[in-house]
Amino acid sequence: MSLPPLSAAGFDDRHNVSGPLPRRVLMTVDAVGGVWRYAMDLAVAMRRSGVETLIVGLGPQPSPEQRREANSIGRLEWLSAPLDWTVEDESELDHVPQLLSELALRHSVDLLHLNLPSQAARITAEVPVVTVSHSCVATWFAAVRGSGLPEAWAWQKRLNRLGFDRADLVLAPSRSHAAALTRTYGEIHDLAVVYNTSRNPCFVSAKENFVFGAGRWWDEGKNGAVLDRAAADIDWPVVMAGACEGPNGQHLAIMHADHEGELSHDRTMTLMSRAAIVVSPSVYEPFGLVALEAARAGAALILADIETYRELWEGAALFAGPGHPAAFAEAVNRLTEDAKLRDDLGRRARLRSADFTVEAQREAVLAAYRRVMSGSDRLTAAE
């Protein structure tokens, strides 16, 4: 797949068009992973451009803090409907398109921004549809297990394919994830890249001698077991923040690192800003918000040597083989012993993080909205 040149935000400038913006967007979210942060930050940024967001949640209920945040940004509606990756049978999702279509009609929505491609399948609402593939089980299995989907889950790939075909535009958060999608699903018309961002204040506090990692560690793709094993051979304390119990019974026992458990976003950012070194050992990362937020705080980055992290952080981080705890321990200890290199990497990471601004992401997404609102010919990302 050959994608056209990208702007700083990732969107192909040649497809930017003048045209109307939607007045009100329905944006789907979940309360489990990084989509929540993506949606909140984007909705705040778009509000400054006069675009209202109806935030529609699916899956496990949000925390009171999440509810307060969403309602301070837009209107929050939470559906009694699951996420595709939490169910065993496709029939459990049959009512999702109708619920979304009814909400779009009831709230006079001008555009659907769906953060799971499967949610776009069988949508009947007569409004433009933009869907974002933040991740999916098919590309997760390819990266984490090195295999295709189990036969019992083959319907998820088919449902995503229907969603891609129904959407007027499909967005991916990196070129590497866009490539993974086409390897897994075949050609996807109207596929473009918009890099993620974070609206957290960019401040650098005094660094302390500890190593930090954050993630939903119950997810094998986050590779928390490797970081925990590496912690046994790392000279500094290793602090891991994030849930170790997943919604479907997934579990990771942390034995060597200092596990802080699941923290609020603000508390996580406070710890991250103090850490001299931040490690992300993920084997599956369509973008990787932890790396960006750590870079904005001026931490030295040690990242898994995967395609996405090479795309975004080459020259601004150290890389370690994701299957080798000893490689992570060696990389971390190299930085604990070399303050000059550690400071230089922190500076380079912070400089690179300036490529991923809220303003750039907002303008790229609004350009995508204008594109589908204008009724222009459909994009073709593969050329």
Side-chain angles (χ1 to χ4, degrees):
M1 179 183 68
S2 176
L3 288 170
L6 304 177
S7 68
F11 196 73
D12 176 11
D13 286 326
R14 296 175 308 154
H15 297 299
N16 290 354
V17 296
S18 60
L21 282 175
R23 179 179 59 89
R24 181 174 296 135
V25 171
L26 184 158
M27 185 180 298
T28 57
V29 300
D30 65 70
V32 180
V35 169
W36 181 271
R37 192 78 268 126
Y38 165 89
M40 296 305 110
D41 292 352
L42 182 57
V44 167
M46 294 196 305
R47 187 171 60 183
R48 301 189 188 109
S49 297
V51 178
E52 300 176 14
T53 304
L54 173 65
I55 302 164
V56 178
L58 299 90
Q61 289 288 323
S63 68
E65 180 185 17
Q66 287 174 311
R67 284 189 179 276
R68 286 192 294 271
E69 179 182 21
N71 281 313
S72 73
I73 295 169
R75 176 168 179 163
L76 176 66
E77 297 265 0
W78 208 268
L79 299 179
S80 179
L83 304 166
D84 58 13
W85 53 273
T86 66
V87 301
E88 295 295 331
D89 190 274
E90 180 181 2
S91 63
E92 296 180 61
L93 303 171
D94 286 348
H95 61 309
V96 171
Q98 180 181 352
L99 291 173
L100 293 174
S101 297
E102 289 174 352
L103 275 177
L105 180 63
R106 186 187 316 153
H107 292 279
S108 301
V109 165
D110 303 308
L111 181 145
L112 297 179
H113 180 131
L114 305 178
N115 282 310
L116 274 179
S118 65
Q119 293 168 348
R122 305 189 186 96
I123 284 287
T124 58
E126 295 183 0
V127 294
V129 176
V130 173
T131 188
V132 186
S133 175
H134 296 278
S135 64
C136 75
V137 293
T139 54
W140 185 96
F141 263 88
V144 179
R145 301 280 179 84
S147 69
L149 281 172
E151 184 61 33
W153 286 2
W155 61 266
Q156 298 211 22
K157 183 175 179 180
R158 180 175 54 79
L159 203 60
N160 282 338
R161 178 76 254 185
L162 289 173
F164 292 140
D165 292 341
R166 169 62 182 88
D168 296 283
L169 181 64
V170 178
L171 300 179
S174 64
R175 282 179 174 267
S176 60
H177 187 57
L181 290 173
T182 58
R183 286 194 301 268
T184 301
Y185 294 94
E187 182 180 2
I188 298 173
H189 293 290
D190 310 335
L191 175 62
V193 174
V194 175
Y195 292 139
N196 286 347
T197 187
S198 168
R199 68 182 175 95
N200 287 320
C202 184
F203 67 95
V204 180
S205 63
K207 299 304 178 190
E208 300 176 24
N209 292 348
F210 71 93
V211 180
F212 185 76
R216 50 181 188 274
W217 299 117
W218 52 264
D219 179 351
E220 287 179 60
K222 298 303 180 184
N223 208 22
V226 164
L227 179 55
D228 183 48
R229 290 198 296 271
D233 297 313
I234 289 174
D235 296 334
W236 286 358
V238 176
V239 177
M240 295 174 67
C244 285
E245 304 288 340
N248 290 334
Q250 305 96 324
H251 174 74
L252 174 69
I254 293 179
M255 307 296 293
H256 305 289
D258 177 10
H259 184 221
E260 291 289 324
E262 188 170 9
L263 304 177
S264 70
H265 188 255
D266 287 346
R267 176 62 179 149
T268 301
M269 292 302 98
T270 298
L271 270 174
M272 182 182 288
S273 70
R274 291 164 41 203
I277 300 169
V278 172
V279 179
S280 177
S282 297
V283 293
Y284 178 72
E285 205 64 79
F287 181 80
L289 194 58
V290 167
L292 174 58
E293 292 182 321
R296 287 170 62 85
L301 299 180
I302 298 177
L303 307 175
D305 195 353
I306 59 174
E307 187 178 353
T308 302
Y309 281 155
R310 286 285 185 180
E311 173 187 346
L312 302 177
W313 300 104
E314 184 76 61
L318 293 184
F319 297 92
H324 304 286
F328 279 97
E330 180 181 357
V332 172
N333 289 338
R334 178 184 173 191
L335 291 188
T336 65
E337 296 166 2
D338 191 337
K340 184 176 183 298
L341 177 59
R342 191 169 68 241
D343 293 343
D344 181 56
L345 280 175
R347 178 186 59 81
R348 283 190 271 166
R350 190 179 183 205
L351 287 172
R352 178 68 55 80
S353 73
D355 291 341
F356 309 106
T357 66
V358 171
E359 293 75 20
Q361 183 194 47
R362 177 192 62 203
E363 293 310 308
V365 171
L366 293 182
Y369 288 176
R370 287 190 178 96
R371 179 74 182 180
V372 299
M373 291 288 291
S374 71
S376 300
D377 293 338
R378 303 183 80 187
L379 286 170
T380 300
E383 298 187 335

